[in-house]
Amino acid sequence: MATATLTIDLDAIAANWRALDRLSAASVQTAAVVKADAYGLGVARVARALARAGARRFFVACAEEGAELRQALGPGPQISILTGHMPGDTEMIHDLDLTPMLNSLEQITRHLESLPGHPFGVQLDTGMNRLGVEMLEWQAVAPILVDAGPELLMSHLACADEPDHPANEAQLKAFHEMTDGTGLPRSFAATGGILLGPRYHFDLTRPGVGLYGGRPHEAAIPAVSLSLPVIQTREVEPGETVGYGCSWTAEKPSIIATLAGGYADGLPRTLSNKARLWDGDTPCPLVGRVSMDLITVDVTHLPEVPRSLDILGPNQSVDDLADEAGTIGYEILTSLGPRYTRRYQERPA
Ligand SMILES: *Cc1c(COP(=O)(O)O)cnc(C)c1O
């Protein structure tokens, strides 16, 4: 088989959810963010595992993702749409019982006019300047809107992964200013915000990356491993080069393994001549450029060439690989390619 195997540990994801849930008080609900196909890991399997672990509320980016998630979960769990109520979404929001987080006066008007009485939340902009109703707009509409009964007021932190960043306190202050006295349920913290402590927790937390084993949830159990099959090996002589651009030159007689997996599978080209793959606990340097479907690895030092090498696993996390590639774990996860064979691990209940 010339496709790599991505193993997804659903028990680890469930355990990470429970661990993040325990970091806030029992009165604080813990949701699960499963946007972008559950950060590339497969929304149907991941969301069902999280529902079994106790998650009752899920966040996705758009209504289409909400539709797919509703199909996987069935009726019951609440599905919130972070981009709110966009033109063309009304029927899906109604029929599949999705809860849009309204981001602008335009969305508020659209929602209240097209689906009066249908549940909604409001996302407030407390300083990130990305999504949400701004302070002055909110002051104008809050008196009317609070009567329409939003089921959640939420906002999002720009720098939660940097605990000492002054933006955290500034956003917290703005969120209090905008929401104190409304008596409505509030949500402020994603993974990073949970770790900032109870002042950031409010009524509902919304962890995403920490469920999947990524920073800043340093205590997380790794949830993915990725093993790339060896297609071919060859001996190269000193002075011979490997791959596009002849960017790596053998200094001694070397054995080079060609593995299935390239930038089309989400292995960034910036890993060229940088990353390591692993045969158990033995590192093997990636040599030459990452190409579309293949990478080349120096296995000269291995006693025998294995059938596959790991690029994600116990010795190399998504964040380790992201550091090598000059990106973040989120991008490694959400780039995991559609060609991989996804294998799910879950202990029978
Ligand atoms: C993606 C996202 C989350 C989850 O963030 P993590 O850092 O992955 O925990 C929560 N809330 C909003 C608004 C988001 O966009």
Side-chain angles (χ1 to χ4, degrees):
M1 198 169 64
T3 59
T5 303
L6 178 69
T7 304
I8 297 149
D9 185 344
L10 295 173
D11 294 322
I13 294 171
N16 289 334
W17 183 84
R18 285 190 290 262
L20 289 166
D21 183 41
R22 281 195 300 271
L23 290 180
S24 58
S27 58
V28 178
Q29 192 186 357
T30 301
V33 179
V34 294
K35 62 193 179 188
D37 200 28
Y39 291 46
L41 302 185
V43 70
R45 297 295 304 266
V46 167
R48 281 193 221 115
L50 287 166
R52 277 193 293 276
R56 289 289 164 268
R57 178 163 186 155
F58 296 83
F59 286 82
V60 291
C62 59
E64 287 76 5
E65 289 183 348
E68 190 183 353
L69 179 57
R70 179 61 75 205
Q71 195 144 42
L73 290 176
Q78 191 171 14
I79 299 176
S80 301
I81 311 297
L82 290 166
T83 51
H85 189 149
M86 290 294 285
D89 288 351
T90 302
E91 204 176 304
M92 245 186 305
I93 288 171
H94 174 265
D95 293 353
L96 299 169
D97 189 18
L98 308 177
T99 308
M101 299 290 115
L102 306 177
N103 288 296
S104 62
L105 300 184
E106 187 192 353
Q107 289 197 350
I108 290 168
T109 308
R110 177 179 302 122
H111 187 77
L112 296 181
E113 284 180 355
S114 63
L115 295 177
H118 185 95
F120 67 97
V122 180
Q123 181 155 208
L124 302 169
D125 177 30
T126 51
M128 186 170 179
N129 285 311
R130 186 182 68 166
L131 276 181
V133 177
E134 299 207 14
M135 182 82 81
L136 287 176
E137 295 172 325
W138 176 241
Q139 282 164 352
V141 297
I144 313 157
L145 205 60
V146 168
D147 282 343
E151 52 83 53
L152 190 70
L153 300 180
M154 63 168 282
S155 189
H156 193 51
L157 287 157
C159 305
D161 56 341
E162 296 175 60
D164 298 327
H165 200 292
N168 295 326
E169 287 294 326
Q171 286 195 258
L172 181 61
K173 185 163 172 278
F175 193 53
H176 275 294
E177 265 174 58
M178 293 171 90
T179 61
D180 280 356
T182 59
L184 295 168
R186 295 184 280 189
S187 176
F188 196 43
T191 304
I194 295 173
L195 299 167
L196 291 178
R199 291 190 305 132
Y200 286 82
H201 294 169
F202 294 90
D203 302 294
L204 177 96
T205 62
R206 317 181 302 270
V209 76
L211 306 173
Y212 311 112
R215 252 181 234 151
H217 188 203
E218 303 289 350
I221 303 170
V224 292
S225 56
L226 177 59
S227 187
L228 310 181
V230 175
I231 308 294
Q232 185 182 14
T233 52
R234 58 173 33 73
E235 294 174 15
V236 300
E237 296 303 323
E240 284 195 273
T241 63
V242 171
Y244 282 123
C246 304
S247 70
W248 184 82
T249 306
E251 283 168 6
K252 55 182 173 50
S254 302
I255 300 171
I256 302 301
T258 303
L259 275 54
Y263 60 76
D265 301 294
L267 302 177
R269 196 164 165 280
T270 48
L271 293 174
S272 298
N273 284 308
K274 259 186 156 177
R276 289 180 301 178
L277 285 90
W278 296 82
D279 176 34
D281 291 330
T282 308
C284 307
L286 191 163
V287 296
R289 294 232 175 109
V290 173
S291 55
M292 187 183 294
D293 317 304
L294 300 164
I295 56 173
T296 34
V297 178
D298 186 350
V299 294
T300 313
H301 54 300
L302 297 183
E304 96 188 87
V305 180
R307 290 158 66 101
S308 65
L309 292 169
D310 298 336
I311 192 158
L312 293 173
N315 289 303
Q316 189 157 268
S317 70
V318 289
D319 290 305
D320 295 334
L321 196 65
D323 288 346
E324 292 289 352
T327 182
I328 53 174
Y330 295 75
E331 192 175 3
I332 295 291
L333 282 170
T334 57
S335 303
L336 290 167
R339 286 196 288 212
Y340 299 148
T341 301
R342 281 163 168 72
R343 261 189 47 215
Y344 291 91
Q345 278 180 343
E346 192 171 31
R347 272 184 301 276

